[in-house]
Amino acid sequence: MASSLVTSYSVPQRLIHWLMAALIIFNLLFADAMEELMEMLEEGQSPSPDVMASANIHAYVGIAVLCLAVVRLLLRFTHGAPDAPAEEPPLGKLAAKVAHGTFYALFFVMPISGALAYYGGIETAGGLHGGPIKLLMWLLIIAHIGAVLVHQFVWKTPVAQRMTKG
């Protein structure tokens, strides 16, 4: 479907957006158990059942994000996405395309790097996952929220409604 014909995101697209947002924020905020587990294993200590359970929850949430990312990408190809509002400056349109492309890349890179670290024992992947990739995700989230606020209160465009009301 061509994006010029799409004026809003579909209900499944909106549901997956908000579910992924919640899961990603959860994992960004509650990564301590995973970090604690990795430190314990590096020091040769046996992790407690609580630490293992919390680390597994972090991993399972990451796997859920990866699965939802696949569905989200398929929905974007089949349902399309609305064009940027005419009021948005060209540089803003370019920034939005770059930011959204980076988000989609991170939806795959972040859980895959975490899985490589957790299940594959690849320390470099863990360092990237918990360091620059995590930081980039936080920066994009902040920029994304800021952009929505600019659209809503400065440019007075209905961008937020496309992902809330349809």
mmCIF file of all heavy atoms in Angstrom, residues 107-159:
data_model
loop_
_atom_site.group_PDB
_atom_site.id
_atom_site.type_symbol
_atom_site.label_atom_id
_atom_site.label_comp_id
_atom_site.label_asym_id
_atom_site.label_seq_id
_atom_site.Cartn_x
_atom_site.Cartn_y
_atom_site.Cartn_z
ATOM 1 N N PHE A 107 15.359 -2.270 16.829
ATOM 2 C CA PHE A 107 14.386 -3.291 17.232
ATOM 3 C C PHE A 107 14.935 -4.692 16.970
ATOM 4 O O PHE A 107 14.518 -5.655 17.618
ATOM 5 C CB PHE A 107 13.070 -3.131 16.475
ATOM 6 C CG PHE A 107 12.303 -1.872 16.773
ATOM 7 C CD1 PHE A 107 11.384 -1.389 15.855
ATOM 8 C CD2 PHE A 107 12.493 -1.155 17.946
ATOM 9 C CE1 PHE A 107 10.669 -0.231 16.103
ATOM 10 C CE2 PHE A 107 11.779 0.004 18.200
ATOM 11 C CZ PHE A 107 10.856 0.463 17.277
ATOM 12 N N PHE A 108 15.856 -4.806 16.022
ATOM 13 C CA PHE A 108 16.472 -6.094 15.720
ATOM 14 C C PHE A 108 17.848 -6.231 16.379
ATOM 15 O O PHE A 108 18.155 -7.253 16.972
ATOM 16 C CB PHE A 108 16.588 -6.281 14.195
ATOM 17 C CG PHE A 108 15.257 -6.481 13.538
ATOM 18 C CD1 PHE A 108 14.525 -5.391 13.076
ATOM 19 C CD2 PHE A 108 14.713 -7.745 13.397
ATOM 20 C CE1 PHE A 108 13.282 -5.572 12.490
ATOM 21 C CE2 PHE A 108 13.470 -7.936 12.812
ATOM 22 C CZ PHE A 108 12.748 -6.842 12.358
ATOM 23 N N VAL A 109 18.662 -5.186 16.270
ATOM 24 C CA VAL A 109 20.039 -5.239 16.770
ATOM 25 C C VAL A 109 20.077 -5.401 18.286
ATOM 26 O O VAL A 109 20.892 -6.179 18.809
ATOM 27 C CB VAL A 109 20.816 -3.974 16.333
ATOM 28 C CG1 VAL A 109 22.164 -3.883 17.030
ATOM 29 C CG2 VAL A 109 21.002 -3.973 14.826
ATOM 30 N N MET A 110 19.209 -4.699 18.992
ATOM 31 C CA MET A 110 19.272 -4.745 20.452
ATOM 32 C C MET A 110 18.952 -6.154 20.990
ATOM 33 O O MET A 110 19.745 -6.706 21.754
ATOM 34 C CB MET A 110 18.360 -3.688 21.069
ATOM 35 C CG MET A 110 18.606 -3.494 22.534
ATOM 36 S SD MET A 110 18.288 -1.802 23.003
ATOM 37 C CE MET A 110 19.181 -1.751 24.520
ATOM 38 N N PRO A 111 17.832 -6.762 20.616
ATOM 39 C CA PRO A 111 17.582 -8.109 21.153
ATOM 40 C C PRO A 111 18.565 -9.160 20.634
ATOM 41 O O PRO A 111 18.931 -10.082 21.371
ATOM 42 C CB PRO A 111 16.154 -8.434 20.719
ATOM 43 C CG PRO A 111 15.655 -7.302 19.938
ATOM 44 C CD PRO A 111 16.687 -6.235 19.886
ATOM 45 N N ILE A 112 19.016 -9.015 19.390
ATOM 46 C CA ILE A 112 19.965 -9.999 18.865
ATOM 47 C C ILE A 112 21.303 -9.899 19.595
ATOM 48 O O ILE A 112 21.887 -10.922 19.978
ATOM 49 C CB ILE A 112 20.127 -9.838 17.334
ATOM 50 C CG1 ILE A 112 18.841 -10.289 16.633
ATOM 51 C CG2 ILE A 112 21.334 -10.621 16.827
ATOM 52 C CD1 ILE A 112 18.783 -9.969 15.150
ATOM 53 N N SER A 113 21.777 -8.686 19.826
ATOM 54 C CA SER A 113 23.046 -8.535 20.562
ATOM 55 C C SER A 113 22.899 -9.046 21.994
ATOM 56 O O SER A 113 23.813 -9.684 22.533
ATOM 57 C CB SER A 113 23.525 -7.082 20.544
ATOM 58 O OG SER A 113 22.615 -6.227 21.217
ATOM 59 N N GLY A 114 21.745 -8.793 22.609
ATOM 60 C CA GLY A 114 21.512 -9.308 23.958
ATOM 61 C C GLY A 114 21.483 -10.826 23.982
ATOM 62 O O GLY A 114 22.061 -11.456 24.880
ATOM 63 N N ALA A 115 20.837 -11.420 22.984
ATOM 64 C CA ALA A 115 20.777 -12.887 22.916
ATOM 65 C C ALA A 115 22.157 -13.485 22.673
ATOM 66 O O ALA A 115 22.509 -14.509 23.259
ATOM 67 C CB ALA A 115 19.800 -13.317 21.820
ATOM 68 N N LEU A 116 22.954 -12.836 21.808
ATOM 69 C CA LEU A 116 24.318 -13.323 21.563
ATOM 70 C C LEU A 116 25.142 -13.284 22.844
ATOM 71 O O LEU A 116 25.948 -14.182 23.104
ATOM 72 C CB LEU A 116 24.991 -12.491 20.468
ATOM 73 C CG LEU A 116 24.486 -12.718 19.056
ATOM 74 C CD1 LEU A 116 25.087 -11.682 18.101
ATOM 75 C CD2 LEU A 116 24.785 -14.137 18.588
ATOM 76 N N ALA A 117 24.918 -12.258 23.658
ATOM 77 C CA ALA A 117 25.650 -12.150 24.920
ATOM 78 C C ALA A 117 25.150 -13.186 25.925
ATOM 79 O O ALA A 117 25.948 -13.896 26.544
ATOM 80 C CB ALA A 117 25.509 -10.738 25.481
ATOM 81 N N TYR A 118 23.827 -13.272 26.085
ATOM 82 C CA TYR A 118 23.248 -14.117 27.134
ATOM 83 C C TYR A 118 23.330 -15.603 26.792
ATOM 84 O O TYR A 118 23.771 -16.414 27.600
ATOM 85 C CB TYR A 118 21.801 -13.704 27.363
ATOM 86 C CG TYR A 118 21.130 -14.338 28.552
ATOM 87 C CD1 TYR A 118 21.692 -14.283 29.814
ATOM 88 C CD2 TYR A 118 19.905 -14.986 28.411
ATOM 89 C CE1 TYR A 118 21.058 -14.854 30.915
ATOM 90 C CE2 TYR A 118 19.265 -15.556 29.498
ATOM 91 C CZ TYR A 118 19.845 -15.491 30.744
ATOM 92 O OH TYR A 118 19.214 -16.051 31.828
ATOM 93 N N TYR A 119 22.893 -15.942 25.587
ATOM 94 C CA TYR A 119 22.844 -17.350 25.214
ATOM 95 C C TYR A 119 24.139 -17.829 24.557
ATOM 96 O O TYR A 119 24.468 -19.001 24.630
ATOM 97 C CB TYR A 119 21.662 -17.618 24.275
ATOM 98 C CG TYR A 119 20.327 -17.339 24.923
ATOM 99 C CD1 TYR A 119 19.540 -16.279 24.506
ATOM 100 C CD2 TYR A 119 19.859 -18.138 25.958
ATOM 101 C CE1 TYR A 119 18.320 -16.017 25.096
ATOM 102 C CE2 TYR A 119 18.636 -17.886 26.567
ATOM 103 C CZ TYR A 119 17.872 -16.825 26.126
ATOM 104 O OH TYR A 119 16.672 -16.575 26.716
ATOM 105 N N GLY A 120 24.861 -16.900 23.911
ATOM 106 C CA GLY A 120 26.080 -17.285 23.204
ATOM 107 C C GLY A 120 27.352 -16.967 23.944
ATOM 108 O O GLY A 120 28.434 -17.371 23.520
ATOM 109 N N GLY A 121 27.255 -16.213 25.032
ATOM 110 C CA GLY A 121 28.435 -15.874 25.815
ATOM 111 C C GLY A 121 29.406 -14.945 25.104
ATOM 112 O O GLY A 121 30.586 -14.917 25.437
ATOM 113 N N ILE A 122 28.915 -14.173 24.144
ATOM 114 C CA ILE A 122 29.783 -13.266 23.389
ATOM 115 C C ILE A 122 29.849 -11.936 24.126
ATOM 116 O O ILE A 122 28.911 -11.137 24.082
ATOM 117 C CB ILE A 122 29.269 -13.100 21.940
ATOM 118 C CG1 ILE A 122 29.245 -14.468 21.260
ATOM 119 C CG2 ILE A 122 30.135 -12.103 21.169
ATOM 120 C CD1 ILE A 122 28.592 -14.476 19.895
ATOM 121 N N GLU A 123 30.955 -11.719 24.820
ATOM 122 C CA GLU A 123 31.101 -10.534 25.671
ATOM 123 C C GLU A 123 31.029 -9.231 24.885
ATOM 124 O O GLU A 123 30.471 -8.249 25.373
ATOM 125 C CB GLU A 123 32.420 -10.605 26.445
ATOM 126 C CG GLU A 123 32.415 -11.633 27.550
ATOM 127 C CD GLU A 123 33.712 -11.638 28.333
ATOM 128 O OE1 GLU A 123 34.280 -10.557 28.576
ATOM 129 O OE2 GLU A 123 34.139 -12.741 28.710
ATOM 130 N N THR A 124 31.598 -9.213 23.692
ATOM 131 C CA THR A 124 31.566 -7.994 22.875
ATOM 132 C C THR A 124 30.132 -7.587 22.578
ATOM 133 O O THR A 124 29.787 -6.404 22.641
ATOM 134 C CB THR A 124 32.344 -8.205 21.555
ATOM 135 O OG1 THR A 124 33.670 -8.621 21.879
ATOM 136 C CG2 THR A 124 32.382 -6.939 20.735
ATOM 137 N N ALA A 125 29.292 -8.570 22.267
ATOM 138 C CA ALA A 125 27.880 -8.283 22.001
ATOM 139 C C ALA A 125 27.213 -7.701 23.246
ATOM 140 O O ALA A 125 26.410 -6.763 23.150
ATOM 141 C CB ALA A 125 27.153 -9.546 21.547
ATOM 142 N N GLY A 126 27.553 -8.238 24.409
ATOM 143 C CA GLY A 126 26.999 -7.725 25.661
ATOM 144 C C GLY A 126 27.445 -6.305 25.932
ATOM 145 O O GLY A 126 26.660 -5.466 26.385
ATOM 146 N N GLY A 127 28.712 -6.019 25.659
ATOM 147 C CA GLY A 127 29.223 -4.660 25.845
ATOM 148 C C GLY A 127 28.535 -3.662 24.931
ATOM 149 O O GLY A 127 28.201 -2.551 25.355
ATOM 150 N N LEU A 128 28.319 -4.057 23.696
ATOM 151 C CA LEU A 128 27.610 -3.181 22.754
ATOM 152 C C LEU A 128 26.148 -3.019 23.164
ATOM 153 O O LEU A 128 25.595 -1.925 23.132
ATOM 154 C CB LEU A 128 27.700 -3.737 21.328
ATOM 155 C CG LEU A 128 29.079 -3.695 20.690
ATOM 156 C CD1 LEU A 128 29.080 -4.476 19.378
ATOM 157 C CD2 LEU A 128 29.525 -2.261 20.466
ATOM 158 N N HIS A 129 25.544 -4.135 23.542
ATOM 159 C CA HIS A 129 24.130 -4.140 23.930
ATOM 160 C C HIS A 129 23.859 -3.215 25.117
ATOM 161 O O HIS A 129 22.940 -2.401 25.074
ATOM 162 C CB HIS A 129 23.702 -5.576 24.270
ATOM 163 C CG HIS A 129 22.312 -5.705 24.784
ATOM 164 N ND1 HIS A 129 21.219 -5.745 23.949
ATOM 165 C CD2 HIS A 129 21.824 -5.801 26.043
ATOM 166 C CE1 HIS A 129 20.120 -5.854 24.683
ATOM 167 N NE2 HIS A 129 20.460 -5.894 25.953
ATOM 168 N N GLY A 130 24.661 -3.355 26.155
ATOM 169 C CA GLY A 130 24.452 -2.572 27.372
ATOM 170 C C GLY A 130 25.097 -1.203 27.349
ATOM 171 O O GLY A 130 24.911 -0.417 28.271
ATOM 172 N N GLY A 131 25.857 -0.907 26.316
ATOM 173 C CA GLY A 131 26.555 0.375 26.213
ATOM 174 C C GLY A 131 25.991 1.262 25.115
ATOM 175 O O GLY A 131 24.934 1.868 25.281
ATOM 176 N N PRO A 132 26.685 1.324 23.964
ATOM 177 C CA PRO A 132 26.274 2.279 22.922
ATOM 178 C C PRO A 132 24.894 2.010 22.315
ATOM 179 O O PRO A 132 24.174 2.956 21.999
ATOM 180 C CB PRO A 132 27.370 2.156 21.859
ATOM 181 C CG PRO A 132 28.141 0.943 22.182
ATOM 182 C CD PRO A 132 27.924 0.625 23.623
ATOM 183 N N ILE A 133 24.509 0.744 22.199
ATOM 184 C CA ILE A 133 23.182 0.455 21.618
ATOM 185 C C ILE A 133 22.091 0.923 22.572
ATOM 186 O O ILE A 133 21.111 1.551 22.156
ATOM 187 C CB ILE A 133 23.043 -1.042 21.283
ATOM 188 C CG1 ILE A 133 24.056 -1.437 20.201
ATOM 189 C CG2 ILE A 133 21.632 -1.366 20.828
ATOM 190 C CD1 ILE A 133 24.134 -2.935 19.934
ATOM 191 N N LYS A 134 22.266 0.640 23.849
ATOM 192 C CA LYS A 134 21.297 1.083 24.867
ATOM 193 C C LYS A 134 21.217 2.612 24.908
ATOM 194 O O LYS A 134 20.119 3.183 24.955
ATOM 195 C CB LYS A 134 21.709 0.531 26.226
ATOM 196 C CG LYS A 134 20.778 0.884 27.362
ATOM 197 C CD LYS A 134 21.269 0.233 28.654
ATOM 198 C CE LYS A 134 20.383 0.575 29.830
ATOM 199 N NZ LYS A 134 20.828 -0.123 31.059
ATOM 200 N N LEU A 135 22.355 3.263 24.863
ATOM 201 C CA LEU A 135 22.387 4.728 24.868
ATOM 202 C C LEU A 135 21.684 5.292 23.643
ATOM 203 O O LEU A 135 20.887 6.236 23.751
ATOM 204 C CB LEU A 135 23.835 5.227 24.930
ATOM 205 C CG LEU A 135 24.021 6.746 24.863
ATOM 206 C CD1 LEU A 135 23.345 7.428 26.043
ATOM 207 C CD2 LEU A 135 25.503 7.087 24.809
ATOM 208 N N LEU A 136 21.947 4.718 22.488
ATOM 209 C CA LEU A 136 21.288 5.182 21.262
ATOM 210 C C LEU A 136 19.774 5.015 21.353
ATOM 211 O O LEU A 136 19.017 5.896 20.940
ATOM 212 C CB LEU A 136 21.846 4.449 20.041
ATOM 213 C CG LEU A 136 21.278 4.850 18.680
ATOM 214 C CD1 LEU A 136 21.435 6.352 18.426
ATOM 215 C CD2 LEU A 136 21.945 4.034 17.573
ATOM 216 N N MET A 137 19.332 3.892 21.927
ATOM 217 C CA MET A 137 17.884 3.684 22.083
ATOM 218 C C MET A 137 17.287 4.766 22.981
ATOM 219 O O MET A 137 16.244 5.335 22.659
ATOM 220 C CB MET A 137 17.603 2.283 22.651
ATOM 221 C CG MET A 137 16.117 1.981 22.812
ATOM 222 S SD MET A 137 15.191 1.927 21.256
ATOM 223 C CE MET A 137 15.463 0.240 20.775
ATOM 224 N N TRP A 138 17.938 5.064 24.109
ATOM 225 C CA TRP A 138 17.442 6.123 25.002
ATOM 226 C C TRP A 138 17.391 7.468 24.280
ATOM 227 O O TRP A 138 16.407 8.208 24.397
ATOM 228 C CB TRP A 138 18.318 6.243 26.244
ATOM 229 C CG TRP A 138 17.926 5.351 27.379
ATOM 230 C CD1 TRP A 138 18.685 4.374 27.952
ATOM 231 C CD2 TRP A 138 16.679 5.339 28.095
ATOM 232 N NE1 TRP A 138 17.987 3.770 28.978
ATOM 233 C CE2 TRP A 138 16.764 4.337 29.090
ATOM 234 C CE3 TRP A 138 15.501 6.068 27.991
ATOM 235 C CZ2 TRP A 138 15.714 4.055 29.969
ATOM 236 C CZ3 TRP A 138 14.454 5.796 28.874
ATOM 237 C CH2 TRP A 138 14.574 4.796 29.843
ATOM 238 N N LEU A 139 18.453 7.803 23.547
ATOM 239 C CA LEU A 139 18.487 9.083 22.832
ATOM 240 C C LEU A 139 17.375 9.179 21.793
ATOM 241 O O LEU A 139 16.729 10.220 21.660
ATOM 242 C CB LEU A 139 19.860 9.295 22.178
ATOM 243 C CG LEU A 139 21.027 9.509 23.140
ATOM 244 C CD1 LEU A 139 22.350 9.511 22.376
ATOM 245 C CD2 LEU A 139 20.853 10.780 23.944
ATOM 246 N N LEU A 140 17.137 8.085 21.077
ATOM 247 C CA LEU A 140 16.060 8.086 20.083
ATOM 248 C C LEU A 140 14.691 8.220 20.734
ATOM 249 O O LEU A 140 13.816 8.914 20.207
ATOM 250 C CB LEU A 140 16.107 6.815 19.243
ATOM 251 C CG LEU A 140 17.070 6.822 18.080
ATOM 252 C CD1 LEU A 140 17.120 5.442 17.426
ATOM 253 C CD2 LEU A 140 16.684 7.872 17.052
ATOM 254 N N ILE A 141 14.497 7.559 21.844
ATOM 255 C CA ILE A 141 13.208 7.664 22.549
ATOM 256 C C ILE A 141 12.967 9.106 22.973
ATOM 257 O O ILE A 141 11.877 9.658 22.764
ATOM 258 C CB ILE A 141 13.158 6.710 23.764
ATOM 259 C CG1 ILE A 141 13.084 5.256 23.287
ATOM 260 C CG2 ILE A 141 11.977 7.045 24.679
ATOM 261 C CD1 ILE A 141 13.322 4.225 24.377
ATOM 262 N N ILE A 142 13.974 9.742 23.541
ATOM 263 C CA ILE A 142 13.843 11.140 23.976
ATOM 264 C C ILE A 142 13.578 12.051 22.775
ATOM 265 O O ILE A 142 12.693 12.912 22.816
ATOM 266 C CB ILE A 142 15.096 11.575 24.759
ATOM 267 C CG1 ILE A 142 15.153 10.829 26.100
ATOM 268 C CG2 ILE A 142 15.123 13.083 24.975
ATOM 269 C CD1 ILE A 142 16.494 10.891 26.792
ATOM 270 N N ALA A 143 14.331 11.843 21.690
ATOM 271 C CA ALA A 143 14.132 12.657 20.483
ATOM 272 C C ALA A 143 12.739 12.423 19.893
ATOM 273 O O ALA A 143 12.086 13.369 19.437
ATOM 274 C CB ALA A 143 15.203 12.337 19.447
ATOM 275 N N HIS A 144 12.284 11.181 19.925
ATOM 276 C CA HIS A 144 10.960 10.831 19.389
ATOM 277 C C HIS A 144 9.849 11.541 20.172
ATOM 278 O O HIS A 144 8.948 12.136 19.578
ATOM 279 C CB HIS A 144 10.789 9.311 19.465
ATOM 280 C CG HIS A 144 9.570 8.774 18.807
ATOM 281 N ND1 HIS A 144 9.323 8.882 17.464
ATOM 282 C CD2 HIS A 144 8.519 8.089 19.324
ATOM 283 C CE1 HIS A 144 8.177 8.294 17.183
ATOM 284 N NE2 HIS A 144 7.662 7.809 18.297
ATOM 285 N N ILE A 145 9.946 11.489 21.471
ATOM 286 C CA ILE A 145 8.942 12.171 22.309
ATOM 287 C C ILE A 145 9.019 13.678 22.076
ATOM 288 O O ILE A 145 7.984 14.346 21.945
ATOM 289 C CB ILE A 145 9.143 11.809 23.800
ATOM 290 C CG1 ILE A 145 8.815 10.325 24.021
ATOM 291 C CG2 ILE A 145 8.289 12.704 24.703
ATOM 292 C CD1 ILE A 145 9.248 9.795 25.369
ATOM 293 N N GLY A 146 10.229 14.215 21.999
ATOM 294 C CA GLY A 146 10.392 15.644 21.718
ATOM 295 C C GLY A 146 9.785 16.041 20.381
ATOM 296 O O GLY A 146 9.127 17.076 20.266
ATOM 297 N N ALA A 147 9.988 15.213 19.370
ATOM 298 C CA ALA A 147 9.433 15.509 18.040
ATOM 299 C C ALA A 147 7.908 15.489 18.066
ATOM 300 O O ALA A 147 7.259 16.345 17.446
ATOM 301 C CB ALA A 147 9.963 14.509 17.022
ATOM 302 N N VAL A 148 7.332 14.539 18.775
ATOM 303 C CA VAL A 148 5.869 14.489 18.891
ATOM 304 C C VAL A 148 5.357 15.764 19.565
ATOM 305 O O VAL A 148 4.354 16.351 19.132
ATOM 306 C CB VAL A 148 5.419 13.229 19.658
ATOM 307 C CG1 VAL A 148 3.943 13.298 20.014
ATOM 308 C CG2 VAL A 148 5.709 11.977 18.848
ATOM 309 N N LEU A 149 6.043 16.213 20.602
ATOM 310 C CA LEU A 149 5.630 17.441 21.295
ATOM 311 C C LEU A 149 5.758 18.669 20.396
ATOM 312 O O LEU A 149 4.882 19.554 20.414
ATOM 313 C CB LEU A 149 6.441 17.617 22.577
ATOM 314 C CG LEU A 149 6.186 16.572 23.663
ATOM 315 C CD1 LEU A 149 7.169 16.738 24.810
ATOM 316 C CD2 LEU A 149 4.752 16.611 24.142
ATOM 317 N N VAL A 150 6.808 18.728 19.592
ATOM 318 C CA VAL A 150 6.964 19.843 18.645
ATOM 319 C C VAL A 150 5.830 19.818 17.633
ATOM 320 O O VAL A 150 5.223 20.856 17.334
ATOM 321 C CB VAL A 150 8.341 19.789 17.933
ATOM 322 C CG1 VAL A 150 8.386 20.727 16.735
ATOM 323 C CG2 VAL A 150 9.452 20.133 18.920
ATOM 324 N N HIS A 151 5.519 18.648 17.109
ATOM 325 C CA HIS A 151 4.398 18.534 16.159
ATOM 326 C C HIS A 151 3.087 19.000 16.797
ATOM 327 O O HIS A 151 2.309 19.718 16.178
ATOM 328 C CB HIS A 151 4.243 17.089 15.676
ATOM 329 C CG HIS A 151 5.065 16.767 14.480
ATOM 330 N ND1 HIS A 151 4.713 17.140 13.212
ATOM 331 C CD2 HIS A 151 6.239 16.111 14.367
ATOM 332 C CE1 HIS A 151 5.631 16.725 12.353
ATOM 333 N NE2 HIS A 151 6.572 16.102 13.035
ATOM 334 N N GLN A 152 2.870 18.572 18.025
ATOM 335 C CA GLN A 152 1.603 18.865 18.697
ATOM 336 C C GLN A 152 1.470 20.334 19.072
ATOM 337 O O GLN A 152 0.429 20.943 18.821
ATOM 338 C CB GLN A 152 1.480 17.994 19.963
ATOM 339 C CG GLN A 152 0.163 18.115 20.670
ATOM 340 C CD GLN A 152 -0.974 17.465 19.903
ATOM 341 O OE1 GLN A 152 -0.774 16.483 19.207
ATOM 342 N NE2 GLN A 152 -2.160 18.017 20.015
ATOM 343 N N PHE A 153 2.522 20.910 19.638
ATOM 344 C CA PHE A 153 2.384 22.245 20.231
ATOM 345 C C PHE A 153 3.031 23.374 19.438
ATOM 346 O O PHE A 153 2.672 24.529 19.640
ATOM 347 C CB PHE A 153 2.941 22.233 21.658
ATOM 348 C CG PHE A 153 2.191 21.281 22.552
ATOM 349 C CD1 PHE A 153 2.793 20.121 23.019
ATOM 350 C CD2 PHE A 153 0.871 21.536 22.904
ATOM 351 C CE1 PHE A 153 2.094 19.241 23.830
ATOM 352 C CE2 PHE A 153 0.165 20.654 23.714
ATOM 353 C CZ PHE A 153 0.778 19.506 24.179
ATOM 354 N N VAL A 154 3.954 23.076 18.541
ATOM 355 C CA VAL A 154 4.588 24.124 17.747
ATOM 356 C C VAL A 154 3.986 24.166 16.354
ATOM 357 O O VAL A 154 3.484 25.201 15.911
ATOM 358 C CB VAL A 154 6.127 23.934 17.683
ATOM 359 C CG1 VAL A 154 6.770 24.983 16.787
ATOM 360 C CG2 VAL A 154 6.728 23.976 19.086
ATOM 361 N N TRP A 155 4.034 23.023 15.657
ATOM 362 C CA TRP A 155 3.517 22.990 14.291
ATOM 363 C C TRP A 155 2.015 22.716 14.238
ATOM 364 O O TRP A 155 1.394 22.841 13.189
ATOM 365 C CB TRP A 155 4.262 21.946 13.463
ATOM 366 C CG TRP A 155 5.715 22.274 13.264
ATOM 367 C CD1 TRP A 155 6.277 23.517 13.216
ATOM 368 C CD2 TRP A 155 6.780 21.352 13.112
ATOM 369 N NE1 TRP A 155 7.633 23.412 13.029
ATOM 370 C CE2 TRP A 155 7.971 22.096 12.960
ATOM 371 C CE3 TRP A 155 6.862 19.957 13.078
ATOM 372 C CZ2 TRP A 155 9.210 21.506 12.772
ATOM 373 C CZ3 TRP A 155 8.104 19.371 12.899
ATOM 374 C CH2 TRP A 155 9.266 20.142 12.749
ATOM 375 N N LYS A 156 1.434 22.287 15.366
ATOM 376 C CA LYS A 156 -0.009 22.014 15.472
ATOM 377 C C LYS A 156 -0.479 20.992 14.429
ATOM 378 O O LYS A 156 -1.502 21.159 13.779
ATOM 379 C CB LYS A 156 -0.819 23.310 15.335
ATOM 380 C CG LYS A 156 -0.346 24.441 16.218
ATOM 381 C CD LYS A 156 -1.079 24.461 17.513
ATOM 382 C CE LYS A 156 -0.782 25.754 18.243
ATOM 383 N NZ LYS A 156 -0.236 25.580 19.533
ATOM 384 N N THR A 157 0.310 19.939 14.259
ATOM 385 C CA THR A 157 -0.057 18.870 13.336
ATOM 386 C C THR A 157 -0.601 17.681 14.114
ATOM 387 O O THR A 157 -0.275 17.497 15.286
ATOM 388 C CB THR A 157 1.158 18.432 12.497
ATOM 389 O OG1 THR A 157 2.173 17.942 13.382
ATOM 390 C CG2 THR A 157 1.699 19.587 11.670
ATOM 391 N N PRO A 158 -1.421 16.837 13.483
ATOM 392 C CA PRO A 158 -2.046 15.709 14.188
ATOM 393 C C PRO A 158 -1.202 14.436 14.214
ATOM 394 O O PRO A 158 -1.752 13.332 14.198
ATOM 395 C CB PRO A 158 -3.325 15.493 13.366
ATOM 396 C CG PRO A 158 -2.934 15.858 11.982
ATOM 397 C CD PRO A 158 -1.959 17.010 12.133
ATOM 398 N N VAL A 159 0.121 14.580 14.293
ATOM 399 C CA VAL A 159 0.989 13.395 14.267
ATOM 400 C C VAL A 159 0.684 12.462 15.437
ATOM 401 O O VAL A 159 0.603 11.249 15.257
ATOM 402 C CB VAL A 159 2.486 13.829 14.260
ATOM 403 C CG1 VAL A 159 3.399 12.661 14.535
ATOM 404 C CG2 VAL A 159 2.822 14.450 12.921
#
